[in-house]
Amino acid sequence: MNTHEKLNYVEFPAKDLEATKAFFTAVFSWSFVDYGPDYAAFADQGLDGGFFRADACSQTSNGAALLVFYSSDIHQTLSKVTANGGVIVREIFDFPGGCRFHFTEPSGNEFAVWSEKR
């Protein structure tokens, strides 16, 4: 449901749109709707969004925002990320309230996963 003045959609660049779609489908069970050869949208993932074909990528080292997934089993999620072509860029670390790790997906965009327990 769309809510007035609330975040509604996010878009990311994708160097390899097909590999990015395959990664998110395998790891997080996403499904996509293609809008031509250069754009794929996802929905019902906490925030709707899409990937557009581009040579750039979204990383916190370049000042990009970080989108963070929640996992009830962080080690299982980390295993799925690496088994499907994700690269761990920051190993699991503790912070007040839980722990998390950062990874890049096949197009180089950085995301994180957090959990309440290690």
Side-chain angles (χ1 to χ4, degrees):
M1 179 156 99
N2 297 326
T3 304
H4 178 66
E5 297 180 345
K6 299 298 179 193
L7 290 174
N8 178 261
Y9 203 84
V10 62
E11 292 185 327
F12 294 96
K15 294 176 186 178
D16 187 337
L17 192 54
E18 292 306 315
T20 291
K21 288 169 36 182
F23 174 84
F24 282 99
T25 298
V27 177
F28 297 106
S29 300
W30 287 13
S31 59
F32 291 88
V33 174
D34 292 332
Y35 293 95
D38 296 324
Y39 195 88
F42 58 86
D44 300 321
Q45 300 306 318
L47 183 63
D48 293 350
F51 289 93
F52 58 93
R53 193 174 310 279
D55 288 331
C57 61
S58 178
Q59 295 188 353
T60 59
S61 62
N62 296 327
L66 179 67
L67 272 73
V68 183
F69 292 87
Y70 172 76
S71 174
S72 61
D73 185 339
I74 197 164
H75 295 283
Q76 178 188 46
T77 304
L78 187 143
S79 293
K80 289 190 331 183
V81 165
T82 58
N84 288 282
V87 175
I88 304 306
V89 295
R90 189 161 181 200
E91 296 290 338
I92 295 175
F93 64 95
D94 294 324
F95 66 91
C99 61
R100 76 181 195 201
F101 68 90
H102 293 210
F103 68 92
T104 56
E105 50 84 26
S107 286
N109 296 304
E110 182 180 354
F111 294 88
V113 176
W114 85 279
S115 185
E116 296 158 325
K117 57 187 175 200
R118 197 185 263 260

